[in-house]
Amino acid sequence: MNETISAIATAHGVSSISIIRLSGSDALSIARRVSKLQNIIPRHAHLTSLYNAEDALIDQAIMIYFASPNSFTGEDIVEFQCHGGMIVAEEILSTVLAYGARLAEPGEFSKRAFLNGKIDLTEAEAISKLIEAKSVDAAKILAKQMKGELKAFVDESRDALLRSLAYSEVMIDYAEEDIPDDILESISSQLDGLIEQITRIVDASHRRRGLIEGFKVAIIGKPNVGKSSLLNALLSYERAIVSDIAGTTRDTIEEQVRIGSHIIRLVDTAGIRESEDTIEKIGIERSLSSVEDADVIIALFDSSRVFDHEDEKIVSMLDNLEDKHLIVALNKSDLEKKFDTSILSSYDPIEVSAKKGFVRLTERMETLFDSIGEGDEIMLVSARQIEAVKYAKSAIEEAKFPLQSGELEFFSYHLQEAVKAISSISKPYDSEEILDKMFGEFCLGK
Ligand SMILES: Nc1nc2c(c(=O)[nH]1)N(C=O)[C@@H](CNc1ccc(C(=O)N[C@@H](CCC(=O)O)C(=O)O)cc1)CN2
Ligand SMILES: Nc1nc2c(ncn2[C@@H]2O[C@H](COP(=O)(O)OP(=O)(O)OP(=O)(O)O)[C@@H](O)[C@H]2O)c(=O)[nH]1
Ligand SMILES: [K+]
Ligand SMILES: [Mg+2]
């Protein structure tokens, strides 16, 4: 028998309305005690007074009862939609706890929805990530996933694998030399197709990860080009210290800022140069590791000074960025230009001024983020999902060798591994521990 659980489902802080969720077999009887209503109608928004255990009035609120199994969790659910702020919501919560409910673990409502077959793991993860999504594009992707898009991919892939497996099971009884070549060919090309599709999905997921977590954008350059000034300008407040002393910024500074429909993590870094100063050297190390972690690099140069060997160092870094997106910008366009722009022409640089205007930069960023979000590919939204498809892919690759050499038992074995890995994306794990871990990362009240 499941215990009845409860939690405040809305954000903690000032808001106009808060929602308390109550799920489990005692939900209805607890609701009767809190509201003193006897006749609670399913899916009816009751406007009712709520009372605490000492019979004092807490609030005039909306109460909705979802009768099992027609609820989010599949259990009896009662929602209290009360006035905002934490006082009222916490009073209602402590009252239902006093009446025998217990505080829900993070993600426990979703976990129950999953265990009761209301949602599968892909939908559960989409719900959890939607809460954290850092862009409208991500929200769209996740909404599709909640409607079962990833689940459909999983089902189709599993069917394709099972078909190949079925062929091979039939052929296992053949002598090696009697296996018809065309069947081998067709299985093999089907598996190639699947490998290709998985590779595409993993690549796209990696590329678009920033849509969910927020793109990490690092501003780099030699000292005094105006990196901190640009950070401040983008944030619209004086977050970082700015001065004409080279080496002002020592530690990296990360702040969130909205660019178009994307919330990004913008990082200001210490100016990169040869330095003897111990602290500055540590700062520069951090700049370099920010480059490693970033999805997008803004390489900044000072157009009011001539190109020198420190700039040259930065340019040589740019050629080793590989899978990162790069925006090259010349700052201080409000001053007289001394910089030979042609040196950077292959990077399509934009001219900006942290003091006078930088719309070109925000536009360039927005176009870039939008383009990363484009495309209809399915997206894997958690490390767990990516691990599972990668494992499936390597198992399929492993299966191809024994297929060529006619060792069908080995082929079957690897293909079954692939089926298991693919299935684990949406179907129950038998391990309670993995479920706890996964749902434990959800928000409280989810
Ligand atoms: N007040 C409130 N708003 C919310 C939620 C919630 O739980 N409460 N949700 C929480 O995530 C989301 C909506 N998701 C929901 C999903 C299923 C059911 C539900 O009652 N399902 C039943 C009935 C289905 C039907 O009538 O079509 C079921 O599946 O049997 C409710 C909310 C977003 N908004
Ligand atoms: N005229 C003009 N001056 C600028 C502009 N951007 C920055 N500066 C000035 O350039 C100097 C250096 O700016 P910072 O923002 O501290 O440069 P930084 O790249 O962060 O320097 P470090 O942290 O030392 O690496 C300051 O005096 C700024 O006021 C600009 O667009 N136009
Ligand atoms: K400076
Ligand atoms: Mg600085």
Side-chain angles (χ1 to χ4, degrees):
M1 198 75 273
N2 258 340
E3 295 164 287
T4 300
I5 54 172
S6 185
I8 300 172
T10 42
H12 292 237
V14 179
S15 65
S16 51
I17 292 169
S18 296
I19 299 181
I20 298 96
R21 263 179 160 176
L22 182 63
S23 179
S25 47
D26 293 337
L28 185 57
S29 60
I30 293 174
R32 286 199 180 109
R33 288 178 76 180
V34 181
S35 66
K36 301 189 182 183
L37 281 186
Q38 278 318 298
N39 186 23
I40 299 176
I41 306 156
R43 295 177 160 256
H44 179 86
H46 291 275
L47 176 60
T48 178
S49 298
L50 302 178
Y51 302 87
N52 69 15
E54 282 79 48
D55 210 25
L57 179 66
I58 305 172
D59 194 13
Q60 182 82 348
I62 302 255
M63 182 176 76
I64 305 175
Y65 164 49
F66 299 84
S68 172
N70 301 118
S71 73
F72 177 74
T73 56
E75 305 173 332
D76 268 359
I77 285 190
V78 175
E79 284 188 1
F80 302 98
Q81 310 190 351
C82 63
H83 287 99
M86 276 302 109
I87 303 300
V88 175
E90 283 185 355
E91 181 84 357
I92 295 171
L93 179 63
S94 48
T95 305
V96 303
L97 297 182
Y99 292 158
R102 83 161 157 75
L103 195 60
E105 310 278 343
E108 198 171 3
F109 292 94
S110 303
K111 183 180 173 186
R112 289 189 176 187
F114 167 73
L115 291 173
N116 292 329
K118 286 285 170 182
I119 54 175
D120 79 354
L121 287 185
T122 63
E123 291 161 306
E125 270 172 332
I127 292 172
S128 142
K129 297 286 171 182
L130 183 60
I131 295 170
E132 292 161 26
K134 295 291 189 291
S135 74
V136 174
D137 288 326
K140 283 186 194 150
I141 292 170
L142 293 166
K144 282 198 275 181
Q145 214 160 94
M146 280 191 290
K147 293 191 75 180
E149 194 187 57
L150 179 58
K151 189 170 147 205
F153 164 74
V154 167
D155 289 346
E156 280 164 29
S157 308
R158 197 182 42 231
D159 285 352
L161 289 170
L162 289 176
R163 271 199 304 279
S164 301
L165 206 51
Y167 271 124
S168 81
E169 296 289 335
V170 170
M171 293 186 304
I172 275 174
D173 299 330
Y174 278 67
E176 210 174 284
E177 54 279 8
D178 296 337
I179 299 173
D181 279 346
D182 56 336
I183 293 195
L184 285 185
E185 274 308 305
S186 116
I187 293 181
S188 179
S189 76
Q190 234 191 52
L191 295 183
D192 283 340
L194 203 52
I195 290 173
E196 205 177 290
Q197 196 181 4
I198 290 177
T199 309
R200 237 186 6 248
I201 290 172
V202 171
D203 287 350
S205 305
H206 189 72
R207 190 160 39 81
R208 295 152 95 193
R209 198 184 45 189
L211 294 173
I212 291 174
E213 293 165 11
F215 289 106
K216 191 161 183 176
V217 180
I219 309 173
I220 64 159
K222 70 173 186 183
N224 266 352
V225 293
K227 300 178 294 300
S228 303
S229 303
L230 188 63
L231 174 94
N232 290 346
L234 288 165
L235 294 177
S236 313
Y237 76 98
E238 301 302 307
R239 170 66 182 85
I241 300 172
V242 164
S243 86
D244 59 4
I245 300 163
T248 300
T249 304
R250 296 302 179 91
D251 212 346
T252 51
I253 298 174
E254 180 176 323
E255 288 295 329
Q256 291 203 1
V257 62
R258 190 179 180 116
I259 304 287
S261 64
H262 306 270
I263 296 168
I264 64 162
R265 296 141 67 199
L266 190 62
V267 186
D268 177 25
T269 63
I272 297 168
R273 65 168 170 182
E274 299 288 344
S275 168
E276 292 307 315
D277 183 294
T278 319
I279 313 273
E280 189 179 359
K281 270 160 79 174
I282 298 171
I284 292 169
E285 283 300 315
R286 293 195 175 175
S287 301
L288 298 176
S289 62
S290 297
V291 172
E292 301 261 303
D293 292 346
D295 302 293
V296 179
I297 307 290
I298 299 176
L300 201 61
F301 297 87
D302 181 346
S303 69
S304 71
R305 292 178 183 267
V306 291
F307 183 84
D308 63 14
H309 73 278
E310 285 179 348
D311 291 311
E312 204 176 313
K313 275 261 167 67
I314 303 293
V315 172
S316 68
M317 278 177 66
L318 303 186
D319 296 327
N320 297 313
L321 290 179
E322 288 172 5
D323 61 339
K324 313 225 177 274
H325 299 275
L326 175 65
I327 296 174
V328 172
L330 283 153
N331 190 28
K332 311 194 189 182
S333 64
D334 55 300
L335 301 176
E336 191 198 335
K337 190 193 279 188
K338 301 244 178 69
F339 193 99
D340 178 5
T341 324
S342 68
I343 298 165
L344 296 176
S345 61
S346 66
Y347 299 104
D348 189 17
I350 41 178
E351 299 194 5
V352 296
S353 164
K355 294 208 162 151
K356 295 280 161 61
F358 44 89
V359 275
R360 270 193 223 129
L361 177 62
T362 50
E363 279 169 8
R364 176 76 69 93
M365 282 199 268
E366 195 175 346
T367 311
L368 175 62
F369 301 142
D370 285 348
S371 74
I372 297 172
E374 268 167 18
D376 285 334
E377 295 103 335
I378 291 161
M379 190 172 162
L380 304 168
V381 296
S382 69
R384 188 191 73 83
Q385 292 174 356
I386 290 181
E387 242 168 69
V389 294
K390 277 189 172 163
Y391 186 79
K393 182 182 155 187
S394 69
I396 299 169
E397 281 164 345
E398 290 278 331
K400 288 194 61 190
F401 301 108
L403 179 66
Q404 301 308 338
S405 56
E407 296 166 279
L408 294 180
E409 280 91 353
F410 285 115
F411 172 76
S412 273
Y413 168 77
H414 290 301
L415 227 50
Q416 279 169 25
E417 286 293 293
V419 170
K420 268 191 252 169
I422 281 279
S423 307
S424 75
I425 294 173
S426 59
K427 286 270 153 62
Y429 274 96
D430 36 30
S431 158
E432 180 75 10
E433 201 183 328
I434 293 172
L435 284 181
D436 280 345
K437 188 172 173 305
M438 199 192 107
F439 286 104
E441 287 166 11
F442 282 41
C443 284
L444 191 64
K446 231 9 237 178

